[in-house]
Amino acid sequence: MPPDPVPGSNALPEQLPVSANNPCPFLRALVAGGFVDGHSVALPKISSTIQAASGETGLRRRMVWPQTFGVALIANGFGPLRLIRSLWSGVTLDQLRNGPLDKHGGGSRILDAEAHVHEGEIDRLACFGSDYPNPCGGTERGLNAAQIKTYMRSNIDRDGADARWYFPLLMRGEWPVLLRVMGKGEGDNRYLSVAEVRTLFVDRRLPERIVTRLLTKPRPAGLLWRLGRATIGFAVALVVLLGVAWIAFPDQTDETLSSMLPKSIAEMVPPALPAYEAPKTAHWLNQGWTVKDRQWFHHATQGTATFPVPYKWFMALEQPYLSPFGTPGRISDSSYLERFGFIPSPKSTDGDSAGLKAYGFDAAADANASPAPAPLPGLAPTPAANNDGLPVGFARLSGAVDPATGAAEPDKIGLTCAACHTGSIRYKGTSIRFDGGPAMVDLRKLEKAMGFAMMLTQWVPTRFSRFAEQVLGAGASESERTALKKGLKAATDFALTMQAKNYQKAIEAKGQSETQEGFGRLDALNRIGNQVFYLDMAVGGLPGYLDNQEAIAAPVSYPPIWTVPWFSWAQYDASISQPLIRNAGEALGVFAAVNFSPDRPANRLFRSSIAIENLVYIENMLHGPDPFAADPPRFGGLTSPKWPGKLFPGDKAWTIDQAKVDAGRKLYGKICVECHLGPVDDQSFDTDEDTKALSFWRRDGGPWNKPGDAVNLVEKPVADMRTDPGQSSILRTRMVKVPGFFGLDPAKDLKGCGLPPSTSTTDMPYALALMDVVQRASDKWFDEHPVVDRSQVWGKRKNCPNPAPKPIYRARPLNGVWATAPYLHNGSVPSLYWLLSPAADRPTSFCQGARDYDPITVGFAVPAGGEASCKTGQTRFMASDSKGPIKGNSVMGHSFEGPERDPHDYPPGVIGRGFSDTERWQLIEYLKTL
C-alpha cells in the first residue's frame, strides 16, 4: 500500500493506517481493522465483505452484492479506461478522494476533505434524533429512517449552491445503508446509534456484532448462485457503463441506443444533436427590410404558447443532461437551441454596429430597405423584445389571458412565423441568413428535449431546487415550492401523456406509423389537425376525440414565403386562398389557445389568443406595395434573397459564369416557364425578343388576375407529376369528428363558396372543419374588436376550398430557388443538380442538419448512391428502409428524361426531356441568378 502523507500518524493502537484519500468512514473502518486492503480491492471481494457486514438474510442479502459491485465499479471515476481498470483490478480505496463518491466534505461535514473528524458535527447529528431503548438495556440517542431523511435534507439545504445533484444519491447510499448495517431494533424503531457513529468516525472501529459477522466464515455459495452473481455483476457493469457513456457522450450514446432499440423504446431516449459550432462570420442578406423590422418579425408573437410551460419556467429549465461535476446549461441557451437548427439573435438591434455584425446585421443595408407599412386602424402590432437573447423564432407572449375564463395568466413562450420561415446556409464557417426561407430546424427533437428536461427537473432533487430558486426566488416558502412542483408535474404529464403517449396510442390503434420529419421538414397539416381537433378539445374538457389524430406521415420542406401574399392560392397543394385564414390556422397549429369548452358561456366559444394584429402586420410586411407602381414592375415587401457570391471573392464555386447564364435563360424559357412562369426579376428575359412574350409581368394573357391584384399559379395534377402524393391527400381524405354544440356548418359559414349543404354537423372533412373553425375564431376576434374594419383586413379573397377536382400541387415562381434546398415539396432531392436529373438517378438517402452548402450543385453535395451514415445528431432522409418505401418520402416525379416530345405526350412523372450535362450546368447557373 502506498504510504500516507505522514506514515502511521493516523493509525490507532492495533489498527492499520488509513489513507486520507479514502473519504468513506465505513471503508476506513474496514481498512483499519484489516478486513480489506487499503489500496486495491477486487470488486467481488469488496462486494462480499459489505454483504457479510450487512447482516441481511435471504434475497435482501443477495441483492447487497450487485448493489455494492455497481457502486464500487464507478468509485474511482466514470471514464471508460478507468471503468475497465476497475473491472480488472478492483476499486482503489486510497484514491477515492475527488472521485464520483466524494462530496468534498459536504453533506454531513463530519469528515472533511482532509479526513479530519469534526466531532461538533456528530453533536449536530444527535440533535435530529431521539432516545431509543437499547436492546442491551437503558436508552441511547439515535436516529430512525425518518429522522435520517430529515437530517440528510437539512444537510443538502445547508450546502446550498455547493450541493450537486448527485449528493442526495450518495447520502442515500451512506446513512440509510449505515442504518441497515449497524442499526438496532426493528421496523420503525430501528435506529442508528449516535455513539456508534462517533466510534466509527473517530476511532475507525466497527461494533463488535459487525466484526463477528465479518469474521464468520460464510458457507460456500452454490454453483447456480455464483453463475447468477456473475451474470448480475455483468448486467450491473453494463448498465453503469451505459449510464456513464450517456453522461459523458450523450449525443453519441443516444444515437447508438436509438438505432439499436425498438422504435417505441427509442422514443424514451433523449435526442442526439449535432455539435455546436459557432460561425466565423455571419451575414443577413438584404431583402428590403430594415434591421429593426427584421428583428421584430423574428420575435413577434402569434399569440402562441408552443411549449407547455410559462416563459419564466422555460428560461429556468436545464438541458436534459446529467452533469456529475457541475450543472448543465439552460435549455434556453442560444448555443444549445442553435443545435436544433435555430439562428442566433441579439437582445436588441440598438447596440453598437460591431456587436450587431457578429449576428450578421449590417445597418448599411437599411439604405436599400423600404419603410415598414403603417398599421391599419385598431391593429397596431405589439412590441417584440428579445431581452433574454433567444434565437430567431422565439417570442414572449405577455399579458396572456385564458380564453375560456378570462383569467390573467403568466407570460408564455411560443414560436413565431420566423421559426419555420427564416433560412440560413453555411459555407466554410460563414453563415448566410435570409428571411422568408425554409428553416433547417428539427421541432420533434426540441419537443423531446423539453420533455426530458421537465422530467429530470422533477426527479433530480438539486435540479428542482435550482429551478425553484430561479422561478420563485431564494426566499420562497415551502408551500410555494410545493405548488411549483405540482405545476411542473402537471405540465410534464401533459407533454408526456396528453401529447406524446395519447398520440402514439391513437395512431397504433389505426395501424399507422410515423415518418421521421427531421431537420428542415414538418408535417404541418397533420400537426395542425391533431392540435385543433384533439389536443385543444381535450384541454377544453371534451373527451372522446382521441381518434381524430393522424400519424405524422407527410413531412414537407418549410416553404419559402417571399412573394406568397400575391399568390391566389398558397400551400404546396394550393389549398388556402384567404391570407388571414392561412396565418391564423398556422397560429392555432403551434398552440395558440382557443376555447372549446362546453362549460363556459356560449359567447366565449372560439375565443382565442391569436394575435390578429401581428399576423395582419406580418402579411403587410411580406406583401409590400403594388409592384406595377414601379417601372419596370417589381415586388417590394420581402424580396427573395440574391445569390451571395460577393461574400466569397476569389472563390470560383460562387462566381457566376455569364455565358452559362445566357444559355440557361434560353433553356428556362423553353422548359420551365410552362409551370413556374417567367422570372420575377430578370429584365433580360422580359425584353429579349425570344422570351418577352413569356414575361411574368405581361399585362395581357399573363398570370395576373389584373395588375396589382393576384397571381394565378400553375396547378398540376399529382397523378401527372408523380411526386409524393402524401401532402396532397391530407385535406382531401382526412375526416374529423366535432362536437355538435360547435354548430359548424361550412356551407353557411364559408360565405360565397357555393358548398353543398353538410350531411352531418359532427363528422366532416378535415379541410372544411379546419377552415370553419379558423373562420369562427377569426370572426370572434373581430366581434370583440369592433373598432377594426373587418372588410379592410379581410380583403377580396374568400375562405373557400380549391375547386380542383383532383389532388394537385402548385408550381411557384423560382425567385430565390437557390436558397430553398432540399427540393420538391417533401424535401426529398438534395440539390438542383439532382432535381434536373432523371428521377431514377437521384440519391435515395442523405443527411440534414449542420452541414455545409454546396454552391456548385446548389444544395447538398450527395453522391449518386446516397449517404448511408450521418454525423452525430444529423437526421437522414431515406426514401425506403428494410420494410420498403417510406410513406411521404418518394424521390420520384418531376423528372427530366428521354427525348423531347409534345408536352402532352410525356408519361406520368416526366415533365420534360433529358438534359445533357452541359445543359444541366447552364440551367443551374441561371437559376442561381433568380
Side-chain angles (χ1 to χ4, degrees), residues 537 540-542 545 595-602 605-606 738-744 761-762 776:
M537 290 184 177
L542 297 171
Y545 292 93
N595 176 33
F596 286 160
S597 173
D599 301 322
R600 302 295 174 184
L605 187 64
F606 297 111
V738 294
F741 75 89
F742 275 18
L744 296 187
T761 59
T762 58
R776 292 288 194 94

Side-chain angles (χ1 to χ4, degrees), residues 721-744:
M721 296 295 293
R722 291 292 174 95
T723 51
D724 191 281
Q727 207 262 359
S728 69
S729 66
I730 295 173
L731 296 180
R732 297 269 177 172
T733 61
R734 183 172 175 177
M735 301 290 291
V736 294
K737 296 180 181 295
V738 294
F741 75 89
F742 275 18
L744 296 187

Side-chain angles (χ1 to χ4, degrees), residues 320-337:
Y321 305 119
L322 296 179
S323 180
F325 307 109
T327 60
R330 300 283 174 79
I331 204 167
S332 56
D333 290 348
S334 183
S335 59
Y336 178 67
L337 292 173

Side-chain angles (χ1 to χ4, degrees), residues 586-604:
E586 184 269 336
L588 285 179
V590 288
F591 307 97
V594 60
N595 176 33
F596 286 160
S597 173
D599 301 322
R600 302 295 174 184
N603 64 359
R604 294 180 183 173

Side-chain angles (χ1 to χ4, degrees), residues 778-797:
S778 301
D779 286 345
K780 185 65 180 172
W781 191 93
F782 285 112
D783 291 343
E784 296 184 344
H785 296 77
V787 298
V788 178
D789 184 344
R790 190 179 316 204
S791 63
Q792 189 176 7
V793 175
W794 195 260
K796 301 176 182 178
R797 301 189 197 178

Side-chain angles (χ1 to χ4, degrees), residues 693-767:
L694 303 172
S695 172
F696 180 84
W697 300 106
R698 63 190 186 276
R699 296 173 184 268
D700 299 318
W704 293 82
N705 288 334
K706 62 180 182 179
D709 187 5
V711 179
N712 294 313
L713 300 183
V714 175
E715 300 171 2
K716 288 288 186 177
V718 177
D720 293 344
M721 296 295 293
R722 291 292 174 95
T723 51
D724 191 281
Q727 207 262 359
S728 69
S729 66
I730 295 173
L731 296 180
R732 297 269 177 172
T733 61
R734 183 172 175 177
M735 301 290 291
V736 294
K737 296 180 181 295
V738 294
F741 75 89
F742 275 18
L744 296 187
D745 186 350
K748 175 183 176 183
D749 299 335
L750 307 184
K751 296 178 174 58
C753 297
L755 297 175
S758 303
T759 58
S760 172
T761 59
T762 58
D763 296 82
M764 60 184 62
Y766 164 47

